[in-house]
mmCIF file with all atom_site columns, all heavy atoms in Angstrom:
data_model
loop_
_atom_site.group_PDB
_atom_site.id
_atom_site.type_symbol
_atom_site.label_atom_id
_atom_site.label_alt_id
_atom_site.label_comp_id
_atom_site.label_asym_id
_atom_site.label_entity_id
_atom_site.label_seq_id
_atom_site.pdbx_PDB_ins_code
_atom_site.Cartn_x
_atom_site.Cartn_y
_atom_site.Cartn_z
_atom_site.occupancy
_atom_site.B_iso_or_equiv
_atom_site.pdbx_formal_charge
_atom_site.auth_seq_id
_atom_site.auth_comp_id
_atom_site.auth_asym_id
_atom_site.auth_atom_id
_atom_site.pdbx_PDB_model_num
ATOM 1   N N   . ARG A 1 19  ? 8.054  35.824 3.364  1.00 97.00 ? 213 ARG A N   1
ATOM 2   C CA  . ARG A 1 19  ? 6.959  36.691 3.373  1.00 97.00 ? 213 ARG A CA  1
ATOM 3   C C   . ARG A 1 19  ? 6.973  37.479 2.017  1.00 97.00 ? 213 ARG A C   1
ATOM 4   O O   . ARG A 1 19  ? 8.081  38.145 1.785  1.00 97.00 ? 213 ARG A O   1
ATOM 5   C CB  . ARG A 1 19  ? 7.057  37.717 4.585  1.00 97.00 ? 213 ARG A CB  1
ATOM 6   C CG  . ARG A 1 19  ? 5.804  38.396 4.837  1.00 97.00 ? 213 ARG A CG  1
ATOM 7   C CD  . ARG A 1 19  ? 5.971  39.103 6.192  1.00 97.00 ? 213 ARG A CD  1
ATOM 8   N NE  . ARG A 1 19  ? 5.743  38.078 7.309  1.00 97.00 ? 213 ARG A NE  1
ATOM 9   C CZ  . ARG A 1 19  ? 6.159  38.349 8.512  1.00 97.00 ? 213 ARG A CZ  1
ATOM 10  N NH1 . ARG A 1 19  ? 6.950  39.323 8.885  1.00 97.00 ? 213 ARG A NH1 1
ATOM 11  N NH2 . ARG A 1 19  ? 5.882  37.429 9.570  1.00 97.00 ? 213 ARG A NH2 1
ATOM 12  N N   . GLU A 1 25  ? 2.363  52.347 -1.958 1.00 98.00 ? 219 GLU A N   1
ATOM 13  C CA  . GLU A 1 25  ? 2.307  53.654 -2.802 1.00 98.00 ? 219 GLU A CA  1
ATOM 14  C C   . GLU A 1 25  ? 1.469  54.533 -1.991 1.00 98.00 ? 219 GLU A C   1
ATOM 15  O O   . GLU A 1 25  ? 0.508  54.230 -1.414 1.00 98.00 ? 219 GLU A O   1
ATOM 16  C CB  . GLU A 1 25  ? 1.785  53.399 -4.173 1.00 98.00 ? 219 GLU A CB  1
ATOM 17  C CG  . GLU A 1 25  ? 1.823  54.586 -5.074 1.00 98.00 ? 219 GLU A CG  1
ATOM 18  C CD  . GLU A 1 25  ? 1.300  54.319 -6.492 1.00 98.00 ? 219 GLU A CD  1
ATOM 19  O OE1 . GLU A 1 25  ? 0.853  53.147 -6.711 1.00 98.00 ? 219 GLU A OE1 1
ATOM 20  O OE2 . GLU A 1 25  ? 1.519  55.091 -7.313 1.00 98.00 ? 219 GLU A OE2 1
ATOM 21  N N   . ASN A 1 109 ? 18.253 40.798 19.490 1.00 87.00 ? 303 ASN A N   1
ATOM 22  C CA  . ASN A 1 109 ? 17.390 40.006 18.802 1.00 87.00 ? 303 ASN A CA  1
ATOM 23  C C   . ASN A 1 109 ? 18.147 38.748 18.272 1.00 87.00 ? 303 ASN A C   1
ATOM 24  O O   . ASN A 1 109 ? 17.565 37.640 18.199 1.00 87.00 ? 303 ASN A O   1
ATOM 25  C CB  . ASN A 1 109 ? 16.846 40.730 17.567 1.00 87.00 ? 303 ASN A CB  1
ATOM 26  C CG  . ASN A 1 109 ? 15.814 41.793 17.994 1.00 87.00 ? 303 ASN A CG  1
ATOM 27  O OD1 . ASN A 1 109 ? 15.366 41.798 19.116 1.00 87.00 ? 303 ASN A OD1 1
ATOM 28  N ND2 . ASN A 1 109 ? 15.337 42.585 17.023 1.00 87.00 ? 303 ASN A ND2 1
ATOM 29  N N   . SER A 1 269 ? 10.851 59.536 8.198  1.00 98.00 ? 463 SER A N   1
ATOM 30  C CA  . SER A 1 269 ? 9.644  60.290 8.775  1.00 98.00 ? 463 SER A CA  1
ATOM 31  C C   . SER A 1 269 ? 8.452  60.214 7.755  1.00 98.00 ? 463 SER A C   1
ATOM 32  O O   . SER A 1 269 ? 7.360  59.970 8.184  1.00 98.00 ? 463 SER A O   1
ATOM 33  C CB  . SER A 1 269 ? 10.135 61.737 8.933  1.00 98.00 ? 463 SER A CB  1
ATOM 34  O OG  . SER A 1 269 ? 8.947  62.552 9.263  1.00 98.00 ? 463 SER A OG  1
ATOM 35  N N   . TYR A 1 272 ? 6.983  56.669 7.858  1.00 98.00 ? 466 TYR A N   1
ATOM 36  C CA  . TYR A 1 272 ? 6.247  56.532 9.026  1.00 98.00 ? 466 TYR A CA  1
ATOM 37  C C   . TYR A 1 272 ? 4.837  57.155 8.758  1.00 98.00 ? 466 TYR A C   1
ATOM 38  O O   . TYR A 1 272 ? 3.768  56.529 8.994  1.00 98.00 ? 466 TYR A O   1
ATOM 39  C CB  . TYR A 1 272 ? 6.884  57.251 10.275 1.00 98.00 ? 466 TYR A CB  1
ATOM 40  C CG  . TYR A 1 272 ? 5.848  57.800 11.332 1.00 98.00 ? 466 TYR A CG  1
ATOM 41  C CD1 . TYR A 1 272 ? 5.457  56.941 12.273 1.00 98.00 ? 466 TYR A CD1 1
ATOM 42  C CD2 . TYR A 1 272 ? 5.326  59.046 11.283 1.00 98.00 ? 466 TYR A CD2 1
ATOM 43  C CE1 . TYR A 1 272 ? 4.484  57.257 13.269 1.00 98.00 ? 466 TYR A CE1 1
ATOM 44  C CE2 . TYR A 1 272 ? 4.465  59.507 12.231 1.00 98.00 ? 466 TYR A CE2 1
ATOM 45  C CZ  . TYR A 1 272 ? 4.120  58.569 13.223 1.00 98.00 ? 466 TYR A CZ  1
ATOM 46  O OH  . TYR A 1 272 ? 3.182  58.995 14.173 1.00 98.00 ? 466 TYR A OH  1
ATOM 47  N N   . GLU A 1 273 ? 4.835  58.389 8.219  1.00 96.00 ? 467 GLU A N   1
ATOM 48  C CA  . GLU A 1 273 ? 3.557  59.146 8.067  1.00 96.00 ? 467 GLU A CA  1
ATOM 49  C C   . GLU A 1 273 ? 2.714  58.659 6.946  1.00 96.00 ? 467 GLU A C   1
ATOM 50  O O   . GLU A 1 273 ? 1.456  58.535 7.003  1.00 96.00 ? 467 GLU A O   1
ATOM 51  C CB  . GLU A 1 273 ? 3.843  60.617 7.872  1.00 96.00 ? 467 GLU A CB  1
ATOM 52  C CG  . GLU A 1 273 ? 2.644  61.495 7.778  1.00 96.00 ? 467 GLU A CG  1
ATOM 53  C CD  . GLU A 1 273 ? 2.965  63.014 7.814  1.00 96.00 ? 467 GLU A CD  1
ATOM 54  O OE1 . GLU A 1 273 ? 3.664  63.326 8.801  1.00 96.00 ? 467 GLU A OE1 1
ATOM 55  O OE2 . GLU A 1 273 ? 2.528  63.690 6.924  1.00 96.00 ? 467 GLU A OE2 1
ATOM 56  N N   . ARG A 1 274 ? 3.294  58.329 5.804  1.00 97.00 ? 468 ARG A N   1
ATOM 57  C CA  . ARG A 1 274 ? 2.556  57.978 4.561  1.00 97.00 ? 468 ARG A CA  1
ATOM 58  C C   . ARG A 1 274 ? 2.380  56.538 4.217  1.00 97.00 ? 468 ARG A C   1
ATOM 59  O O   . ARG A 1 274 ? 1.381  56.189 3.598  1.00 97.00 ? 468 ARG A O   1
ATOM 60  C CB  . ARG A 1 274 ? 3.212  58.745 3.404  1.00 97.00 ? 468 ARG A CB  1
ATOM 61  C CG  . ARG A 1 274 ? 3.284  60.249 3.501  1.00 97.00 ? 468 ARG A CG  1
ATOM 62  C CD  . ARG A 1 274 ? 1.906  60.744 3.889  1.00 97.00 ? 468 ARG A CD  1
ATOM 63  N NE  . ARG A 1 274 ? 1.960  62.289 3.993  1.00 97.00 ? 468 ARG A NE  1
ATOM 64  C CZ  . ARG A 1 274 ? 0.845  63.039 4.410  1.00 97.00 ? 468 ARG A CZ  1
ATOM 65  N NH1 . ARG A 1 274 ? -0.201 62.416 4.776  1.00 97.00 ? 468 ARG A NH1 1
ATOM 66  N NH2 . ARG A 1 274 ? 0.967  64.295 4.510  1.00 97.00 ? 468 ARG A NH2 1
ATOM 67  N N   . LYS A 1 276 ? 3.104  53.999 6.897  1.00 98.00 ? 470 LYS A N   1
ATOM 68  C CA  . LYS A 1 276 ? 2.960  53.302 8.197  1.00 98.00 ? 470 LYS A CA  1
ATOM 69  C C   . LYS A 1 276 ? 3.909  52.145 8.379  1.00 98.00 ? 470 LYS A C   1
ATOM 70  O O   . LYS A 1 276 ? 3.529  51.148 8.919  1.00 98.00 ? 470 LYS A O   1
ATOM 71  C CB  . LYS A 1 276 ? 1.417  52.826 8.289  1.00 98.00 ? 470 LYS A CB  1
ATOM 72  C CG  . LYS A 1 276 ? 0.353  53.784 7.966  1.00 98.00 ? 470 LYS A CG  1
ATOM 73  C CD  . LYS A 1 276 ? 0.383  55.035 8.618  1.00 98.00 ? 470 LYS A CD  1
ATOM 74  C CE  . LYS A 1 276 ? -0.619 56.035 8.164  1.00 98.00 ? 470 LYS A CE  1
ATOM 75  N NZ  . LYS A 1 276 ? -0.297 57.353 8.676  1.00 98.00 ? 470 LYS A NZ  1
ATOM 76  N N   . VAL A 1 278 ? 8.019  51.078 9.517  1.00 98.00 ? 472 VAL A N   1
ATOM 77  C CA  . VAL A 1 278 ? 9.199  51.444 10.266 1.00 98.00 ? 472 VAL A CA  1
ATOM 78  C C   . VAL A 1 278 ? 10.410 51.113 9.502  1.00 98.00 ? 472 VAL A C   1
ATOM 79  O O   . VAL A 1 278 ? 10.636 49.982 9.133  1.00 98.00 ? 472 VAL A O   1
ATOM 80  C CB  . VAL A 1 278 ? 9.239  50.734 11.655 1.00 98.00 ? 472 VAL A CB  1
ATOM 81  C CG1 . VAL A 1 278 ? 10.511 51.037 12.396 1.00 98.00 ? 472 VAL A CG1 1
ATOM 82  C CG2 . VAL A 1 278 ? 7.996  51.087 12.418 1.00 98.00 ? 472 VAL A CG2 1
ATOM 83  N N   . ASN A 1 310 ? 15.163 47.672 11.474 1.00 93.00 ? 504 ASN A N   1
ATOM 84  C CA  . ASN A 1 310 ? 15.705 47.402 12.778 1.00 93.00 ? 504 ASN A CA  1
ATOM 85  C C   . ASN A 1 310 ? 16.504 48.682 13.340 1.00 93.00 ? 504 ASN A C   1
ATOM 86  O O   . ASN A 1 310 ? 17.692 48.762 13.180 1.00 93.00 ? 504 ASN A O   1
ATOM 87  C CB  . ASN A 1 310 ? 16.669 46.228 12.755 1.00 93.00 ? 504 ASN A CB  1
ATOM 88  C CG  . ASN A 1 310 ? 15.836 44.890 12.525 1.00 93.00 ? 504 ASN A CG  1
ATOM 89  O OD1 . ASN A 1 310 ? 14.806 44.701 13.243 1.00 93.00 ? 504 ASN A OD1 1
ATOM 90  N ND2 . ASN A 1 310 ? 16.232 44.194 11.523 1.00 93.00 ? 504 ASN A ND2 1
ATOM 91  N N   . VAL A 1 311 ? 15.699 49.583 13.891 1.00 93.00 ? 505 VAL A N   1
ATOM 92  C CA  . VAL A 1 311 ? 16.300 50.896 14.385 1.00 93.00 ? 505 VAL A CA  1
ATOM 93  C C   . VAL A 1 311 ? 16.070 51.011 15.816 1.00 93.00 ? 505 VAL A C   1
ATOM 94  O O   . VAL A 1 311 ? 14.965 50.793 16.297 1.00 93.00 ? 505 VAL A O   1
ATOM 95  C CB  . VAL A 1 311 ? 15.658 51.946 13.428 1.00 93.00 ? 505 VAL A CB  1
ATOM 96  C CG1 . VAL A 1 311 ? 14.152 51.886 13.379 1.00 93.00 ? 505 VAL A CG1 1
ATOM 97  C CG2 . VAL A 1 311 ? 16.111 53.397 13.982 1.00 93.00 ? 505 VAL A CG2 1
ATOM 98  N N   . ARG A 1 313 ? 15.285 53.035 19.247 1.00 94.00 ? 507 ARG A N   1
ATOM 99  C CA  . ARG A 1 313 ? 14.149 53.992 19.407 1.00 94.00 ? 507 ARG A CA  1
ATOM 100 C C   . ARG A 1 313 ? 14.625 55.421 19.414 1.00 94.00 ? 507 ARG A C   1
ATOM 101 O O   . ARG A 1 313 ? 13.941 56.312 19.075 1.00 94.00 ? 507 ARG A O   1
ATOM 102 C CB  . ARG A 1 313 ? 13.431 53.684 20.815 1.00 94.00 ? 507 ARG A CB  1
ATOM 103 C CG  . ARG A 1 313 ? 12.487 52.419 20.656 1.00 94.00 ? 507 ARG A CG  1
ATOM 104 C CD  . ARG A 1 313 ? 12.265 51.839 22.033 1.00 94.00 ? 507 ARG A CD  1
ATOM 105 N NE  . ARG A 1 313 ? 11.797 50.518 21.905 1.00 94.00 ? 507 ARG A NE  1
ATOM 106 C CZ  . ARG A 1 313 ? 10.487 50.275 21.840 1.00 94.00 ? 507 ARG A CZ  1
ATOM 107 N NH1 . ARG A 1 313 ? 9.609  51.146 21.986 1.00 94.00 ? 507 ARG A NH1 1
ATOM 108 N NH2 . ARG A 1 313 ? 10.097 48.999 21.661 1.00 94.00 ? 507 ARG A NH2 1
ATOM 109 N N   . ILE A 1 322 ? 10.997 65.193 12.763 1.00 91.00 ? 516 ILE A N   1
ATOM 110 C CA  . ILE A 1 322 ? 11.015 65.952 11.434 1.00 91.00 ? 516 ILE A CA  1
ATOM 111 C C   . ILE A 1 322 ? 9.717  65.791 10.848 1.00 91.00 ? 516 ILE A C   1
ATOM 112 O O   . ILE A 1 322 ? 9.295  64.651 10.551 1.00 91.00 ? 516 ILE A O   1
ATOM 113 C CB  . ILE A 1 322 ? 12.018 65.286 10.480 1.00 91.00 ? 516 ILE A CB  1
ATOM 114 C CG1 . ILE A 1 322 ? 13.482 65.355 11.096 1.00 91.00 ? 516 ILE A CG1 1
ATOM 115 C CG2 . ILE A 1 322 ? 12.001 65.974 9.199  1.00 91.00 ? 516 ILE A CG2 1
ATOM 116 C CD1 . ILE A 1 322 ? 14.427 64.353 10.437 1.00 91.00 ? 516 ILE A CD1 1
ATOM 117 N N   . ARG B 1 19  ? -5.539 47.056 -1.364 1.00 97.00 ? 92  ARG B N   1
ATOM 118 C CA  . ARG B 1 19  ? -4.261 46.478 -1.094 1.00 97.00 ? 92  ARG B CA  1
ATOM 119 C C   . ARG B 1 19  ? -4.498 45.166 -0.318 1.00 97.00 ? 92  ARG B C   1
ATOM 120 O O   . ARG B 1 19  ? -5.230 45.248 0.780  1.00 97.00 ? 92  ARG B O   1
ATOM 121 C CB  . ARG B 1 19  ? -3.467 47.455 -0.271 1.00 97.00 ? 92  ARG B CB  1
ATOM 122 C CG  . ARG B 1 19  ? -2.046 47.150 -0.139 1.00 97.00 ? 92  ARG B CG  1
ATOM 123 C CD  . ARG B 1 19  ? -1.289 48.351 0.322  1.00 97.00 ? 92  ARG B CD  1
ATOM 124 N NE  . ARG B 1 19  ? -1.010 49.390 -0.681 1.00 97.00 ? 92  ARG B NE  1
ATOM 125 C CZ  . ARG B 1 19  ? -0.731 50.591 -0.391 1.00 97.00 ? 92  ARG B CZ  1
ATOM 126 N NH1 . ARG B 1 19  ? -0.842 51.086 0.832  1.00 97.00 ? 92  ARG B NH1 1
ATOM 127 N NH2 . ARG B 1 19  ? -0.540 51.451 -1.395 1.00 97.00 ? 92  ARG B NH2 1
ATOM 128 N N   . GLU B 1 25  ? 3.674  37.885 11.538 1.00 98.00 ? 98  GLU B N   1
ATOM 129 C CA  . GLU B 1 25  ? 3.775  37.111 12.731 1.00 98.00 ? 98  GLU B CA  1
ATOM 130 C C   . GLU B 1 25  ? 5.302  37.284 13.118 1.00 98.00 ? 98  GLU B C   1
ATOM 131 O O   . GLU B 1 25  ? 6.211  37.545 12.351 1.00 98.00 ? 98  GLU B O   1
ATOM 132 C CB  . GLU B 1 25  ? 3.599  35.637 12.368 1.00 98.00 ? 98  GLU B CB  1
ATOM 133 C CG  . GLU B 1 25  ? 3.757  34.734 13.527 1.00 98.00 ? 98  GLU B CG  1
ATOM 134 C CD  . GLU B 1 25  ? 3.395  33.289 13.170 1.00 98.00 ? 98  GLU B CD  1
ATOM 135 O OE1 . GLU B 1 25  ? 3.213  32.937 12.042 1.00 98.00 ? 98  GLU B OE1 1
ATOM 136 O OE2 . GLU B 1 25  ? 3.309  32.477 14.208 1.00 98.00 ? 98  GLU B OE2 1
ATOM 137 N N   . ASN B 1 109 ? -4.961 65.278 6.137  1.00 87.00 ? 182 ASN B N   1
ATOM 138 C CA  . ASN B 1 109 ? -4.958 64.343 5.022  1.00 87.00 ? 182 ASN B CA  1
ATOM 139 C C   . ASN B 1 109 ? -6.265 64.277 4.331  1.00 87.00 ? 182 ASN B C   1
ATOM 140 O O   . ASN B 1 109 ? -6.334 64.089 3.056  1.00 87.00 ? 182 ASN B O   1
ATOM 141 C CB  . ASN B 1 109 ? -4.610 62.963 5.579  1.00 87.00 ? 182 ASN B CB  1
ATOM 142 C CG  . ASN B 1 109 ? -3.224 62.731 6.030  1.00 87.00 ? 182 ASN B CG  1
ATOM 143 O OD1 . ASN B 1 109 ? -2.460 63.590 5.852  1.00 87.00 ? 182 ASN B OD1 1
ATOM 144 N ND2 . ASN B 1 109 ? -2.920 61.647 6.643  1.00 87.00 ? 182 ASN B ND2 1
ATOM 145 N N   . SER B 1 269 ? 4.061  49.931 20.790 1.00 98.00 ? 342 SER B N   1
ATOM 146 C CA  . SER B 1 269 ? 5.480  49.727 20.962 1.00 98.00 ? 342 SER B CA  1
ATOM 147 C C   . SER B 1 269 ? 5.996  48.405 20.444 1.00 98.00 ? 342 SER B C   1
ATOM 148 O O   . SER B 1 269 ? 6.998  48.377 19.745 1.00 98.00 ? 342 SER B O   1
ATOM 149 C CB  . SER B 1 269 ? 5.835  50.007 22.422 1.00 98.00 ? 342 SER B CB  1
ATOM 150 O OG  . SER B 1 269 ? 7.121  49.679 22.741 1.00 98.00 ? 342 SER B OG  1
ATOM 151 N N   . TYR B 1 272 ? 5.762  48.263 16.707 1.00 98.00 ? 345 TYR B N   1
ATOM 152 C CA  . TYR B 1 272 ? 6.902  49.029 16.113 1.00 98.00 ? 345 TYR B CA  1
ATOM 153 C C   . TYR B 1 272 ? 8.134  48.119 16.140 1.00 98.00 ? 345 TYR B C   1
ATOM 154 O O   . TYR B 1 272 ? 8.858  47.987 15.053 1.00 98.00 ? 345 TYR B O   1
ATOM 155 C CB  . TYR B 1 272 ? 7.170  50.313 16.899 1.00 98.00 ? 345 TYR B CB  1
ATOM 156 C CG  . TYR B 1 272 ? 8.574  50.793 16.820 1.00 98.00 ? 345 TYR B CG  1
ATOM 157 C CD1 . TYR B 1 272 ? 9.019  51.629 15.873 1.00 98.00 ? 345 TYR B CD1 1
ATOM 158 C CD2 . TYR B 1 272 ? 9.476  50.474 17.830 1.00 98.00 ? 345 TYR B CD2 1
ATOM 159 C CE1 . TYR B 1 272 ? 10.239 52.043 15.704 1.00 98.00 ? 345 TYR B CE1 1
ATOM 160 C CE2 . TYR B 1 272 ? 10.800 50.926 17.786 1.00 98.00 ? 345 TYR B CE2 1
ATOM 161 C CZ  . TYR B 1 272 ? 11.220 51.804 16.706 1.00 98.00 ? 345 TYR B CZ  1
ATOM 162 O OH  . TYR B 1 272 ? 12.464 52.135 16.682 1.00 98.00 ? 345 TYR B OH  1
ATOM 163 N N   . GLU B 1 273 ? 8.360  47.505 17.265 1.00 96.00 ? 346 GLU B N   1
ATOM 164 C CA  . GLU B 1 273 ? 9.702  46.788 17.372 1.00 96.00 ? 346 GLU B CA  1
ATOM 165 C C   . GLU B 1 273 ? 9.667  45.548 16.624 1.00 96.00 ? 346 GLU B C   1
ATOM 166 O O   . GLU B 1 273 ? 10.715 45.020 16.090 1.00 96.00 ? 346 GLU B O   1
ATOM 167 C CB  . GLU B 1 273 ? 9.955  46.590 18.926 1.00 96.00 ? 346 GLU B CB  1
ATOM 168 C CG  . GLU B 1 273 ? 11.258 45.815 19.174 1.00 96.00 ? 346 GLU B CG  1
ATOM 169 C CD  . GLU B 1 273 ? 11.643 45.948 20.665 1.00 96.00 ? 346 GLU B CD  1
ATOM 170 O OE1 . GLU B 1 273 ? 11.690 47.047 21.210 1.00 96.00 ? 346 GLU B OE1 1
ATOM 171 O OE2 . GLU B 1 273 ? 11.893 44.859 21.360 1.00 96.00 ? 346 GLU B OE2 1
ATOM 172 N N   . ARG B 1 274 ? 8.548  44.799 16.726 1.00 97.00 ? 347 ARG B N   1
ATOM 173 C CA  . ARG B 1 274 ? 8.589  43.386 16.188 1.00 97.00 ? 347 ARG B CA  1
ATOM 174 C C   . ARG B 1 274 ? 8.029  43.185 14.839 1.00 97.00 ? 347 ARG B C   1
ATOM 175 O O   . ARG B 1 274 ? 8.293  42.196 14.214 1.00 97.00 ? 347 ARG B O   1
ATOM 176 C CB  . ARG B 1 274 ? 7.850  42.464 17.240 1.00 97.00 ? 347 ARG B CB  1
ATOM 177 C CG  . ARG B 1 274 ? 8.547  42.519 18.603 1.00 97.00 ? 347 ARG B CG  1
ATOM 178 C CD  . ARG B 1 274 ? 9.950  42.124 18.545 1.00 97.00 ? 347 ARG B CD  1
ATOM 179 N NE  . ARG B 1 274 ? 10.550 42.129 19.893 1.00 97.00 ? 347 ARG B NE  1
ATOM 180 C CZ  . ARG B 1 274 ? 11.855 41.975 20.129 1.00 97.00 ? 347 ARG B CZ  1
ATOM 181 N NH1 . ARG B 1 274 ? 12.774 41.851 19.054 1.00 97.00 ? 347 ARG B NH1 1
ATOM 182 N NH2 . ARG B 1 274 ? 12.397 41.922 21.287 1.00 97.00 ? 347 ARG B NH2 1
ATOM 183 N N   . LYS B 1 276 ? 7.499  46.050 12.625 1.00 98.00 ? 349 LYS B N   1
ATOM 184 C CA  . LYS B 1 276 ? 7.823  47.218 11.781 1.00 98.00 ? 349 LYS B CA  1
ATOM 185 C C   . LYS B 1 276 ? 6.637  47.999 11.114 1.00 98.00 ? 349 LYS B C   1
ATOM 186 O O   . LYS B 1 276 ? 6.690  48.465 10.065 1.00 98.00 ? 349 LYS B O   1
ATOM 187 C CB  . LYS B 1 276 ? 8.821  46.770 10.717 1.00 98.00 ? 349 LYS B CB  1
ATOM 188 C CG  . LYS B 1 276 ? 9.921  45.883 11.229 1.00 98.00 ? 349 LYS B CG  1
ATOM 189 C CD  . LYS B 1 276 ? 10.805 46.483 12.402 1.00 98.00 ? 349 LYS B CD  1
ATOM 190 C CE  . LYS B 1 276 ? 11.850 45.547 12.883 1.00 98.00 ? 349 LYS B CE  1
ATOM 191 N NZ  . LYS B 1 276 ? 12.378 45.981 14.173 1.00 98.00 ? 349 LYS B NZ  1
ATOM 192 N N   . VAL B 1 278 ? 3.387  50.843 11.881 1.00 98.00 ? 351 VAL B N   1
ATOM 193 C CA  . VAL B 1 278 ? 2.858  52.011 12.671 1.00 98.00 ? 351 VAL B CA  1
ATOM 194 C C   . VAL B 1 278 ? 1.430  51.738 12.965 1.00 98.00 ? 351 VAL B C   1
ATOM 195 O O   . VAL B 1 278 ? 0.591  51.683 11.931 1.00 98.00 ? 351 VAL B O   1
ATOM 196 C CB  . VAL B 1 278 ? 3.124  53.333 11.870 1.00 98.00 ? 351 VAL B CB  1
ATOM 197 C CG1 . VAL B 1 278 ? 2.467  54.471 12.690 1.00 98.00 ? 351 VAL B CG1 1
ATOM 198 C CG2 . VAL B 1 278 ? 4.616  53.554 11.661 1.00 98.00 ? 351 VAL B CG2 1
ATOM 199 N N   . ASN B 1 310 ? -2.974 55.924 11.606 1.00 93.00 ? 383 ASN B N   1
ATOM 200 C CA  . ASN B 1 310 ? -2.983 57.373 11.508 1.00 93.00 ? 383 ASN B CA  1
ATOM 201 C C   . ASN B 1 310 ? -2.922 58.000 12.924 1.00 93.00 ? 383 ASN B C   1
ATOM 202 O O   . ASN B 1 310 ? -3.903 58.351 13.567 1.00 93.00 ? 383 ASN B O   1
ATOM 203 C CB  . ASN B 1 310 ? -4.184 57.867 10.813 1.00 93.00 ? 383 ASN B CB  1
ATOM 204 C CG  . ASN B 1 310 ? -4.212 57.495 9.303  1.00 93.00 ? 383 ASN B CG  1
ATOM 205 O OD1 . ASN B 1 310 ? -3.232 57.650 8.661  1.00 93.00 ? 383 ASN B OD1 1
ATOM 206 N ND2 . ASN B 1 310 ? -5.285 56.816 8.842  1.00 93.00 ? 383 ASN B ND2 1
ATOM 207 N N   . VAL B 1 311 ? -1.696 58.181 13.360 1.00 93.00 ? 384 VAL B N   1
ATOM 208 C CA  . VAL B 1 311 ? -1.378 58.616 14.733 1.00 93.00 ? 384 VAL B CA  1
ATOM 209 C C   . VAL B 1 311 ? -0.475 59.796 14.718 1.00 93.00 ? 384 VAL B C   1
ATOM 210 O O   . VAL B 1 311 ? 0.522  59.837 13.959 1.00 93.00 ? 384 VAL B O   1
ATOM 211 C CB  . VAL B 1 311 ? -0.866 57.416 15.494 1.00 93.00 ? 384 VAL B CB  1
ATOM 212 C CG1 . VAL B 1 311 ? 0.302  56.785 14.830 1.00 93.00 ? 384 VAL B CG1 1
ATOM 213 C CG2 . VAL B 1 311 ? -0.370 57.978 16.919 1.00 93.00 ? 384 VAL B CG2 1
ATOM 214 N N   . ARG B 1 313 ? 2.388  62.311 15.872 1.00 94.00 ? 386 ARG B N   1
ATOM 215 C CA  . ARG B 1 313 ? 3.734  62.004 16.305 1.00 94.00 ? 386 ARG B CA  1
ATOM 216 C C   . ARG B 1 313 ? 3.955  62.062 17.814 1.00 94.00 ? 386 ARG B C   1
ATOM 217 O O   . ARG B 1 313 ? 4.740  61.351 18.462 1.00 94.00 ? 386 ARG B O   1
ATOM 218 C CB  . ARG B 1 313 ? 4.774  62.971 15.676 1.00 94.00 ? 386 ARG B CB  1
ATOM 219 C CG  . ARG B 1 313 ? 4.951  62.659 14.175 1.00 94.00 ? 386 ARG B CG  1
ATOM 220 C CD  . ARG B 1 313 ? 5.403  63.948 13.348 1.00 94.00 ? 386 ARG B CD  1
ATOM 221 N NE  . ARG B 1 313 ? 5.324  63.666 11.939 1.00 94.00 ? 386 ARG B NE  1
ATOM 222 C CZ  . ARG B 1 313 ? 6.110  63.087 11.124 1.00 94.00 ? 386 ARG B CZ  1
ATOM 223 N NH1 . ARG B 1 313 ? 7.370  62.815 11.598 1.00 94.00 ? 386 ARG B NH1 1
ATOM 224 N NH2 . ARG B 1 313 ? 5.943  62.907 9.920  1.00 94.00 ? 386 ARG B NH2 1
ATOM 225 N N   . ILE B 1 322 ? 8.078  53.403 25.631 1.00 91.00 ? 395 ILE B N   1
ATOM 226 C CA  . ILE B 1 322 ? 7.848  52.160 26.353 1.00 91.00 ? 395 ILE B CA  1
ATOM 227 C C   . ILE B 1 322 ? 8.616  51.040 25.748 1.00 91.00 ? 395 ILE B C   1
ATOM 228 O O   . ILE B 1 322 ? 8.423  50.744 24.581 1.00 91.00 ? 395 ILE B O   1
ATOM 229 C CB  . ILE B 1 322 ? 6.337  51.812 26.312 1.00 91.00 ? 395 ILE B CB  1
ATOM 230 C CG1 . ILE B 1 322 ? 5.465  52.895 26.893 1.00 91.00 ? 395 ILE B CG1 1
ATOM 231 C CG2 . ILE B 1 322 ? 6.112  50.509 27.074 1.00 91.00 ? 395 ILE B CG2 1
ATOM 232 C CD1 . ILE B 1 322 ? 3.983  52.725 26.565 1.00 91.00 ? 395 ILE B CD1 1
#
Side-chain angles (χ1 to χ4, degrees):
Chain A
R213 195 168 279 154
E219 184 176 7
N303 288 353
S463 172
Y466 156 85
E467 183 167 308
R468 299 308 180 187
K470 316 304 176 192
V472 175
N504 293 309
V505 49
R507 288 158 195 267
I516 303 167
Chain B
R92 195 168 277 155
E98 183 176 8
N182 288 352
S342 172
Y345 156 85
E346 182 166 309
R347 299 306 181 188
K349 315 303 177 192
V351 175
N383 293 310
V384 49
R386 288 158 194 267
I395 303 166

